[in-house]
Amino acid sequence: MKPAVLFDMDGVLLDSKAAMLATLAGVATAALGRRITIADLPPDAVTTPRVEVLARLGVPNPDELCEVWWNPALATAAGTALFPGVVEGITALRDAGAATGLVTLQTRDRLPWLLPPDVLALLDTAVCQEDAEPKPAPDGILLALARLGSSPKAALFVGDTLTDHTAAFEAGVAFAGAGWGYAGARALTATGARVVLTHPSQIGATLLDLIPGSRPPRQVTMTSH
């Protein structure tokens, strides 16, 4: 069976932290009628559901307001960029015979705003917010594997938050933490992640060594816990 490597997007493939924080501040500013800056957001804003962050700031009906204002605020926010080595790493995985996929909380219509066409072309499937119950539920990971014709035993999920780790565990797939992402290496280790990558350049064919039985083991240059 073909091995599969699945990725979360924000904080793993895409450096979008500044844009997400700016979007939160923009929506809060529009809702409250006074300027909210990134400095006014809670310290854990980037790893907390947006509705909860906005509610803490006193925004009324945050769910409904996000339906109106989130997309325009995100589309005009500056500061998103691929992490270095992402294109080369995913290309190397495909060259090594792996299927690749995305499991993200972003909606499908946002993907072209956030990821360049060459990256989208390298992904065999993309499971978005509207496709499955969001993480930490395992549904999105399992749907991606079903689309790829792969199984949990032949898969790895690379994520950067506790919800990603939980989703991988519930789906029965191997997990690698992206230590450069939203939560950070220390927080991932504290959640029990046994493997935490230290740099996005570690995205590549060596990730297949983390899938039990995917190929003969060899040295993997990453941090294990």
Side-chain angles (χ1 to χ4, degrees):
M1 180 174 290
K2 195 173 188 178
V5 180
L6 306 176
F7 299 94
D8 178 39
M9 184 174 75
D10 293 293
V12 177
L13 302 181
L14 188 71
D15 185 357
S16 57
K17 182 177 180 179
M20 294 304 165
L21 291 174
T23 300
L24 277 167
V27 171
T29 294
L32 297 174
R34 57 185 173 84
R35 189 182 181 208
I36 302 296
T37 69
I38 290 175
D40 297 318
L41 300 176
D44 60 348
V46 77
T47 57
T48 302
R50 65 187 186 182
V51 171
E52 184 178 330
V53 174
L54 293 170
R56 283 194 219 168
L57 294 170
V59 172
N61 305 313
D63 247 335
E64 291 84 350
L65 294 179
C66 281
E67 289 296 321
V68 177
W69 289 330
W70 188 267
N71 277 3
L74 179 59
T76 55
T80 60
L82 288 178
F83 285 108
V86 164
V87 173
E88 297 83 355
I90 298 177
T91 299
L93 280 165
R94 290 172 62 89
D95 289 345
T100 59
L102 189 71
V103 182
T104 176
L105 294 180
Q106 296 287 0
T107 56
R108 188 167 301 279
D109 60 345
R110 296 177 197 149
L111 293 189
W113 310 344
L114 298 170
L115 288 179
D118 56 340
V119 176
L120 289 172
L122 289 172
L123 298 168
D124 297 304
T125 191
V127 174
C128 300
Q129 183 186 106
E130 59 266 49
D131 298 326
E133 185 72 19
K135 296 170 289 186
D139 303 46
I141 293 176
L142 295 174
L143 176 58
L145 294 178
R147 290 176 175 176
L148 296 172
S150 189
S151 75
K153 291 182 179 179
L156 172 75
F157 182 55
V158 184
D160 67 321
T161 64
L162 171 59
T163 57
D164 291 330
H165 187 201
T166 302
F169 177 80
E170 294 295 332
V173 307
F175 177 78
W180 58 88
Y182 284 5
R186 182 175 297 180
L188 287 166
T189 301
T191 69
R194 298 183 63 186
V195 175
V196 177
L197 312 179
T198 58
H199 192 273
S201 62
Q202 291 173 313
I203 294 173
T206 54
L207 292 180
L208 298 179
D209 295 317
L210 301 176
I211 303 173
S214 66
R215 66 185 191 182
R218 56 192 177 88
Q219 185 176 357
V220 183
T221 55
M222 53 193 69
T223 302
S224 297
H225 299 278

